[in-house]
Amino acid sequence: MKAINTIIGAYQRHSFDDVNAFSMVKRDTAIPTGHDLLVHIAAVSVNPVDVGVYAGIRRPRATPKILGWDAVGTVVAVGEQVSLFNVGQRVFYAGDFRRDGSDQTFQLVDERIVGHAPEEFADEELAGLPLTSLTAYEALFEQMHLSIADIKHNRQRTLLIINGAGGVGSIATQLANHAGLRVIATASNPQSIAWAKQHGAGLVVNHHQDLVKQVHALGIKNVDYILGLSKLDEHFNEMATLIRPSGIIVSITENRHPIDLKKLTKKRATFAWEWMYSKSYYQTDDMITQHEILDQIGQLLQAKVIVPTTTKVFNGLNPESLRQAFKLVAGGHMIGKVVIKAE
Amino acid sequence: MKAINTIIGAYQRHSFDDVNAFSMVKRDTAIPTGHDLLVHIAAVSVNPVDVGVYAGIRRPRATPKILGWDAVGTVVAVGEQVSLFNVGQRVFYAGDFRRDGSDQTFQLVDERIVGHAPEEFADEELAGLPLTSLTAYEALFEQMHLSIADIKHNRQRTLLIINGAGGVGSIATQLANHAGLRVIATASNPQSIAWAKQHGAGLVVNHHQDLVKQVHALGIKNVDYILGLSKLDEHFNEMATLIRPSGIIVSITENRHPIDLKKLTKKRATFAWEWMYSKSYYQTDDMITQHEILDQIGQLLQAKVIVPTTTKVFNGLNPESLRQAFKLVAGGHMIGKVVIKAE
């Protein structure tokens, strides 16, 4: 590969109203080694994590910070240890938090965290899926120790998803519903309530009101599992009241203030974090499970068990479309995913 | 049953040097109903929880607080719904935190938290086992989601037990060793180090010194599971450093100060409480699992997989022996269990 790689990165933090929020640079394209694939990016998505990392740029950088952890593209070269993919194959993945992101023309990514893109789906549909799918899948089927196939068990269990209409919530709702769980999703306006129901939430409550009272009003005293996707500080005490004895709480958002874990002692409840980047961050032995999960997500898409959640598409991966996409996500009112097609 | 029930209880808190620490009262024996068994107590054990509950008596009580959550005895009457036991059978159990304890002649206990006492073992051997066995078993095989039979998986996993020579630690070490796990136990003096090794700890480190440095010095960077049985505040940061990505920490002791759970986020680690009383406290649907666990413990005793841990026996369940036993346990230097035989 001798093509030139166009990088869209940030040298310093700006307001997303500032046209200088992102810059474009050209570089020689890297040569993949080891387990790396070189992927020609076809589309990317913007997630809240991008906005968070951008906000974390405290001083001007000498090299651009390349964001983007959701991509679909085509393999154009492979490292000498690659065994899962061939040149020419279409792939989708979230990527590695420690490395450059997907907001560039050619990206290096370890094959063990990459899935085969199901061919029936368009780039703009697939680009919005890896990060949310990996997070939702790992939360339900690893951290909660649920089995996707154990419908008999799952049918007797209730899952509360806090922020059920968000990016991760939309996939978690679909996966949990498919696995047989009764899903209570939280949402707060007519559009997000309709979205949550459309994706399989049997019951919806409002996270701006008292969750305990609302769940009890449904005739449900305790829930077996809680997936916390937003504002842990605000909801922790409600979670502690609602979780059943021996229940499992999984959160993807961190607390800003100490949370009183002792509220869970008598119930011997479990609190687990989900961070989709963990396996690649620590280069764990089971990193390849992300390859397997994404391949399974591809099959679930083909089987129409889950549907893509892209609702907004920009054309052209450049500083201006990136800025607009970030501004939308930072606004916090998106339903579904924002995607940018490369061309 | 028209026998008189002799109750040894506490009306107010005293020093364990005070002969008035406990009082003896006689009452009519209760008649069992529902799932209750009436058990003629043969021996009891004293655990740290007894000392804690005693210390919690803040003002004089009108009725005695009957402690004791470890007993072996014989069923002398049964409620109308009892189906697991018959009159005359020997049983062992920890009991229900909300009800009167075992420091009496006749105790009511729900059959669903009672096991069949293996006949080859003496009362003083069995009385020390239920609370520690239930705690250790639930911690390993429920909260850590390990399987006792999956030796192949377990052989590749390491478990750190903080306070490995204590009551729960001694059983947890034996069960984990049997299940194939590599066990690192903490202990702090020659006697407790020898005890831990004798019960199956392959490696021992000292919990009064830096656990991270000591574990790393063994050539072990991370452990897969940590069972915290003492001083959570003191050891939490060490646990967070030592646990591997996706690892599971289970604690039976509560923190007194806020612990920084965010130290586990990047590793997506799990923190779970174990409280052996939880199932009966909340009368959960799976309460009967404690009956099953105790029966399994009986079989593991018969198979010599685990050995009793009683090291001190008092004769005669009366205020004076109870006071002496409590004083020993409160001292915090016991290795193995303190048991009181009823007669």
Side-chain angles (χ1 to χ4, degrees):
Chain A
M1 282 301 301
K2 295 217 173 178
I4 295 299
N5 187 18
T6 302
I7 293 161
I8 322 290
Y11 286 93
Q12 70 181 87
R13 182 176 39 167
H14 291 261
S15 155
F16 296 126
D17 288 324
D18 188 327
V19 293
N20 297 313
F22 297 96
S23 304
M24 182 147 69
V25 192
K26 288 190 184 297
R27 281 196 192 151
D28 286 345
T29 298
I31 294 165
T33 59
H35 282 286
D36 274 355
L37 312 174
L38 183 69
V39 177
H40 184 195
I41 299 292
V44 299
S45 173
V46 177
N47 288 287
V49 65
D50 293 271
V51 175
V53 174
Y54 187 92
I57 300 175
R58 299 288 175 194
R59 63 198 66 184
R61 300 167 55 92
T63 54
K65 179 70 186 169
I66 306 172
L67 303 166
W69 285 285
D70 250 345
V72 57
T74 302
V75 178
V76 291
V78 299
E80 72 283 359
Q81 290 182 59
V82 166
S83 65
L84 303 169
F85 296 95
N86 298 314
V87 168
Q89 285 186 315
R90 194 158 160 257
V91 294
F92 68 151
Y93 54 89
D96 183 329
F97 195 69
R98 301 165 314 154
R99 302 178 74 177
D100 285 343
S102 302
D103 298 340
Q104 50 180 331
T105 307
F106 295 100
Q107 182 187 9
L108 291 175
V109 62
D110 191 303
E111 63 171 343
R112 292 168 292 184
I113 60 174
V114 171
H116 294 89
E119 60 183 18
E120 303 86 339
F121 292 84
D123 294 333
E124 58 269 33
E125 293 179 305
L126 293 179
L129 286 165
L131 184 146
T132 54
S133 298
L134 286 166
T135 303
Y137 190 101
E138 290 186 348
L140 297 174
F141 306 118
E142 295 182 359
Q143 303 300 69
M144 291 182 189
H145 300 267
L146 287 161
S147 163
I148 196 167
D150 194 355
I151 309 286
K152 189 177 167 191
H153 168 277
N154 297 341
R155 280 212 191 286
Q156 299 169 46
R157 301 291 186 279
T158 300
L159 165 69
L160 171 65
I161 303 178
I162 294 176
N163 201 26
V168 176
S170 306
I171 301 294
T173 303
Q174 296 184 69
L175 287 174
N177 186 48
H178 168 64
L181 292 147
R182 176 166 65 167
V183 178
I184 310 174
T186 80
S188 62
N189 62 54
Q191 290 75 23
S192 60
I193 291 167
W195 177 269
K197 289 185 175 171
Q198 180 189 330
H199 288 85
L203 299 162
V204 180
V205 293
N206 186 336
H207 47 241
H208 294 320
Q209 294 166 20
D210 186 318
L211 291 179
V212 176
K213 282 187 186 167
Q214 293 176 84
V215 170
H216 286 180
L218 297 171
I220 297 167
K221 186 185 174 197
N222 289 137
V223 297
D224 302 281
Y225 304 94
I226 299 177
L227 179 55
L229 303 174
S230 175
K231 295 180 181 164
L232 178 58
D233 292 281
E234 189 178 308
H235 296 299
F236 180 75
N237 288 347
E238 296 173 323
M239 292 173 163
T241 302
L242 285 173
I243 196 72
R244 74 154 157 85
S246 309
I248 301 178
I249 296 170
V250 175
S251 178
I252 69 164
T253 54
E254 284 192 316
N255 51 310
R256 291 170 191 271
H257 305 289
I259 53 177
D260 189 1
L261 211 54
K262 293 198 299 294
K263 288 183 188 289
L264 303 177
T265 316
K266 279 204 165 63
K267 288 184 178 171
R268 69 193 281 271
T270 291
F271 185 96
W273 296 111
E274 168 54 27
W275 195 54
M276 184 275 309
Y277 299 106
S278 188
K279 293 173 187 171
S280 54
Y281 189 90
Y282 290 103
Q283 297 281 300
T284 62
D285 293 342
D286 66 350
M287 208 168 96
I288 200 168
T289 54
Q290 293 206 327
H291 161 67
E292 295 159 359
I293 293 168
L294 286 170
D295 272 7
Q296 191 178 349
I297 293 296
Q299 290 158 12
L300 292 170
L301 283 162
Q302 289 171 322
K304 300 187 201 304
V305 165
I306 57 175
V307 298
T309 56
T310 302
T311 49
K312 174 72 183 173
V313 180
F314 291 94
N315 288 302
L317 183 54
N318 55 54
E320 178 55 18
S321 64
L322 206 60
R323 184 185 72 78
Q324 289 188 32
F326 269 65
K327 191 176 169 182
L328 259 183
V329 174
H333 296 295
M334 271 301 298
I335 297 178
K337 305 285 297 173
V338 181
V339 165
I340 305 171
K341 291 181 70 174
E343 284 162 17
Chain B
M1 282 301 303
K2 294 216 173 179
I4 295 300
N5 188 17
T6 302
I7 293 162
I8 323 291
Y11 286 94
Q12 69 181 89
R13 183 174 38 166
H14 290 262
S15 156
F16 296 126
D17 287 326
D18 188 328
V19 293
N20 296 312
F22 296 97
S23 304
M24 182 148 67
V25 192
K26 289 190 185 294
R27 282 198 192 150
D28 286 345
T29 297
I31 294 165
T33 58
H35 281 287
D36 273 354
L37 312 174
L38 184 69
V39 177
H40 184 195
I41 299 292
V44 300
S45 174
V46 177
N47 288 287
V49 64
D50 293 270
V51 176
V53 174
Y54 188 92
I57 301 174
R58 299 287 175 194
R59 63 198 66 184
R61 300 167 54 93
T63 54
K65 179 71 186 169
I66 306 173
L67 303 165
W69 285 283
D70 251 346
V72 58
T74 302
V75 177
V76 291
V78 299
E80 71 284 358
Q81 289 182 60
V82 166
S83 65
L84 303 170
F85 296 94
N86 299 315
V87 168
Q89 286 186 314
R90 192 157 161 258
V91 293
F92 69 151
Y93 54 90
D96 183 330
F97 194 69
R98 300 165 315 155
R99 302 178 74 176
D100 286 343
S102 302
D103 298 339
Q104 50 181 331
T105 307
F106 295 101
Q107 181 186 10
L108 291 176
V109 61
D110 190 303
E111 63 170 343
R112 292 169 291 184
I113 59 173
V114 171
H116 294 89
E119 61 183 17
E120 302 86 338
F121 292 84
D123 293 334
E124 58 269 33
E125 293 178 306
L126 293 179
L129 287 166
L131 184 146
T132 54
S133 298
L134 285 166
T135 303
Y137 191 100
E138 290 186 348
L140 296 175
F141 306 119
E142 295 182 358
Q143 303 300 69
M144 292 182 189
H145 301 268
L146 287 162
S147 163
I148 196 168
D150 194 355
I151 309 284
K152 190 177 167 191
H153 168 276
N154 298 341
R155 281 212 190 286
Q156 298 169 46
R157 301 289 187 277
T158 299
L159 165 69
L160 171 65
I161 303 179
I162 294 176
N163 202 25
V168 176
S170 306
I171 302 294
T173 303
Q174 296 183 70
L175 286 173
N177 186 47
H178 168 65
L181 292 147
R182 175 166 64 169
V183 178
I184 309 173
T186 80
S188 63
N189 63 55
Q191 291 74 23
S192 60
I193 291 167
W195 177 271
K197 288 184 176 172
Q198 181 189 329
H199 287 86
L203 299 162
V204 180
V205 293
N206 185 335
H207 46 241
H208 293 320
Q209 294 166 19
D210 187 317
L211 290 180
V212 176
K213 282 186 188 168
Q214 293 175 85
V215 171
H216 287 179
L218 297 171
I220 297 167
K221 186 185 174 197
N222 290 137
V223 297
D224 303 281
Y225 304 94
I226 299 176
L227 179 56
L229 304 174
S230 175
K231 297 181 180 163
L232 178 57
D233 292 281
E234 190 178 306
H235 296 299
F236 180 76
N237 288 347
E238 296 173 322
M239 292 172 162
T241 302
L242 286 172
I243 196 71
R244 75 153 156 85
S246 309
I248 301 178
I249 296 170
V250 175
S251 179
I252 69 165
T253 53
E254 283 191 318
N255 51 309
R256 292 170 191 270
H257 305 288
I259 53 178
D260 189 2
L261 210 54
K262 293 198 299 295
K263 288 182 189 291
L264 303 177
T265 316
K266 278 203 166 63
K267 289 183 177 171
R268 69 192 282 272
T270 291
F271 185 96
W273 296 110
E274 169 53 27
W275 195 55
M276 184 274 311
Y277 299 106
S278 188
K279 293 173 185 170
S280 54
Y281 189 90
Y282 290 103
Q283 297 280 300
T284 61
D285 293 341
D286 65 351
M287 207 167 96
I288 200 168
T289 54
Q290 292 205 328
H291 161 68
E292 294 159 358
I293 292 168
L294 286 171
D295 272 6
Q296 191 177 349
I297 292 296
Q299 290 158 14
L300 292 170
L301 283 163
Q302 288 171 322
K304 300 186 199 306
V305 165
I306 58 176
V307 297
T309 55
T310 302
T311 49
K312 175 74 183 171
V313 180
F314 290 94
N315 288 302
L317 183 53
N318 55 54
E320 179 54 18
S321 64
L322 206 60
R323 183 185 72 79
Q324 288 188 31
F326 269 65
K327 192 175 168 182
L328 260 183
V329 174
H333 296 295
M334 270 301 299
I335 296 178
K337 305 285 298 172
V338 182
V339 164
I340 304 171
K341 291 180 71 173
E343 284 162 17

